[in-house]
Amino acid sequence: MSAKAVREHYGKTLLARHLSEHGVNVDARGFLVRSDVKDASSEHTWASLLDENPWAKTTKLVAKPDQLIKRRGKAGLVYVNKTINEVQAWVDSKLGQTVTVDNVEGILHTFLVEPFVPHQQEDEFYVAITSDREGETLLFCRDGGVDVGDVDAKASRLQCGLDRTPTLEELQTFVKDAPVSRRTQLATFYDALLKCYRDLHFTLLEINPLVVDDEKVTPLDLAAKIDETAHFLCQSKWGPTDLPAPFGRPEFPEEAYIRSLDAKTGASLKLTILNVTGRVWTLVAGGGASVVYADTICDLGFAHELANYGEYSGAPTDEQTFNYARTVLGLMTRTRRDDGKVLIVGGGIANFTDVAATFRGLVKALKMYRDELLAGNIKIYSRRA
């Protein structure tokens, strides 16, 4: 399972679209403001965004970065109950700014603007669903919000096996710490949320807080991950996915290129750059093998030198393997080190992959970068069953 985090805005709109199929309606109005908003030639200026979202001109708003940043409120990165003019000025001042959150430094480039929801503290709850090999676990805390505290210690839990869906009565018992007047709403929401979670192949959903009042439920803050390997099942339901790199690690163009190749083939091509100046690089066939190789490299004390994580599998053609390998080699030979570098070419036992075809692609790429590999004092080790 390849769990990928999605933007808050994408997660909210995806949930809102499918929760309605189960009788739960949530307000998912909002829009993203990116760095090109200041470019007059851009299609996404403030004027065009407000033309598409006229409600924002007359509604009090909330603005916050949507870049997989945790604890934004405590970092002073949530701007609450403001007019559009105030939000525009604040976002413009923050775009391009370098900030440090939890010892991670990154550049702010994407903000979410959405309606402000007036409510009382007692209307905030913590709601989450997580996945494990046995099924799903529902989590609930009576007190949600920025000061929810230690969820692991405080949260009530309800285990749901893969073949089991809890009844509404069980869910009402599960949320027994909530006021009586809110239990039916919460149980109904959990019921619909679990159905969407499974149908859309989420691997994590955390809503903190979920605001519940007499009229509706509203997710104020959401973190979510989806199982990327379910793309072939959920493409029509997901729509265009938005899978940003973690905060503080800007995506390399090469990662985007491999992702575009992966989207066009039934094979699997994955690449994540961990340390572009690292000494140890891998070209590994197979998702399981990629985990074993990465774990072994780390166990041997070279975690800080592991440059990339990825895999090619599912019977890629020699041309696809060539494009994958030349991308990795291009990154690897971009910088040199006095102590040289190591390239590990490996994999497990092939079941239906044509090893000869994939190695033709690898050899072609190695020949292309022959001079750079020699100049960089790069040692190549190959093990393929």
Side-chain angles (χ1 to χ4, degrees):
M1 179 170 63
S2 178
K4 295 287 189 178
V6 299
R7 293 195 193 278
E8 180 179 1
H9 178 55
Y10 174 81
K12 284 180 175 178
T13 54
L14 180 64
L15 264 187
R17 192 162 64 243
H18 293 277
L19 282 171
S20 62
E21 298 172 3
H22 302 285
V24 174
N25 296 308
V26 299
D27 185 357
R29 288 178 297 168
F31 58 89
L32 293 179
V33 182
R34 303 180 190 270
S35 298
D36 62 350
V37 73
K38 300 177 183 180
D39 183 353
S41 62
S42 167
E43 296 180 359
H44 306 291
T45 61
W46 280 106
S48 63
L49 290 171
L50 292 176
D51 284 343
E52 295 170 6
N53 302 276
W55 52 266
K57 300 176 184 178
T58 56
T59 305
K60 286 298 184 73
L61 304 168
V62 175
K64 52 190 172 181
D66 195 355
Q67 298 177 220
L68 311 184
I69 303 174
K70 295 182 178 180
R71 290 175 281 279
R72 292 168 294 186
K74 291 189 175 182
L77 293 175
V78 180
Y79 201 51
V80 179
N81 195 15
K82 304 298 180 181
T83 65
I84 184 57
N85 290 334
E86 291 173 312
V87 163
Q88 182 174 345
W90 185 77
V91 170
D92 284 347
S93 72
K94 296 292 184 182
L95 281 169
Q97 191 176 104
T98 299
V99 299
T100 300
V101 182
D102 288 345
N103 298 317
V104 178
E105 184 179 271
I107 298 174
L108 300 177
H109 54 71
T110 304
F111 282 78
L112 171 59
V113 178
E114 55 189 3
F116 170 69
V117 180
H119 63 278
Q120 302 300 316
Q121 177 67 37
E122 57 264 27
D123 293 330
E124 293 187 352
F125 303 90
Y126 174 91
V127 168
I129 305 178
T130 63
S131 294
D132 56 39
R133 65 187 302 167
E134 304 298 332
E136 292 85 27
T137 301
L138 276 57
L139 295 93
F140 175 75
C141 282
R142 166 62 189 90
D143 300 313
V146 68
D147 295 318
V148 65
D150 186 354
V151 172
D152 289 336
K154 294 172 57 177
S156 302
R157 287 173 168 77
L158 179 62
Q159 298 290 138
C160 301
L162 295 173
D163 58 350
R164 176 176 176 269
T165 300
T167 65
L168 285 174
E169 290 75 17
E170 288 176 303
L171 291 170
Q172 289 198 44
T173 302
F174 169 59
V175 298
K176 64 182 184 299
D177 292 338
V180 175
S181 61
R182 299 288 186 248
R183 292 177 190 172
T184 298
Q185 286 172 286
L186 283 165
T188 301
F189 181 75
Y190 265 111
D191 180 62
L193 191 67
L194 180 59
K195 291 173 181 175
C196 288
Y197 185 95
R198 290 172 167 174
D199 188 43
L200 297 171
H201 288 258
F202 282 100
T203 63
L204 167 73
L205 265 177
E206 183 182 54
I207 302 172
N208 181 40
L210 177 76
V211 170
V212 183
D213 58 27
D214 293 334
E215 300 178 355
K216 61 185 182 301
V217 296
T218 307
L220 291 196
D221 195 295
L222 177 144
K225 294 182 180 180
I226 56 175
D227 181 1
E228 191 183 22
T229 60
H231 184 267
F232 75 103
L233 288 171
C234 299
Q235 184 174 9
S236 61
K237 299 174 184 177
W238 286 351
T241 53
D242 190 358
L243 307 175
F247 178 68
R249 190 184 69 78
E251 184 177 59
F252 284 77
E254 290 83 359
E255 291 174 304
Y257 171 66
I258 295 301
R259 192 171 64 251
S260 71
L261 291 181
D262 181 63
K264 299 170 186 173
T265 175
S268 177
L269 302 168
K270 303 291 188 291
L271 177 64
T272 299
I273 305 304
L274 304 175
N275 176 8
V276 74
T277 60
R279 188 181 178 208
V280 182
W281 292 74
T282 62
L283 282 171
V284 180
S290 68
V291 174
V292 172
Y293 275 70
D295 282 351
T296 303
I297 291 167
C298 294
D299 287 344
L300 292 173
F302 288 89
H304 64 294
E305 293 285 15
L306 182 58
N308 68 309
Y309 176 78
E311 55 104 4
Y312 60 95
S313 62
T317 65
D318 54 350
E319 186 65 20
Q320 290 167 343
T321 310
F322 164 69
N323 285 324
Y324 181 85
R326 71 177 176 86
T327 302
V328 173
L329 294 177
L331 286 163
M332 183 184 191
T333 57
R334 187 174 296 173
T335 60
R336 298 179 185 177
R337 293 179 50 144
D338 293 338
D339 53 353
K341 295 184 181 182
V342 173
L343 174 64
I344 300 174
V345 181
I349 298 174
N351 42 26
F352 58 87
T353 295
D354 186 342
V355 176
T358 58
F359 258 70
R360 281 196 298 270
L362 293 177
V363 170
K364 183 179 177 182
L366 289 169
K367 288 180 176 178
M368 172 183 281
Y369 280 90
R370 176 184 180 278
D371 293 341
E372 291 87 344
L373 292 168
L374 290 172
N377 189 26
I378 295 173
K379 293 181 172 63
I380 303 173
Y381 299 89
S382 178
R383 186 271 183 198
R384 185 70 164 95

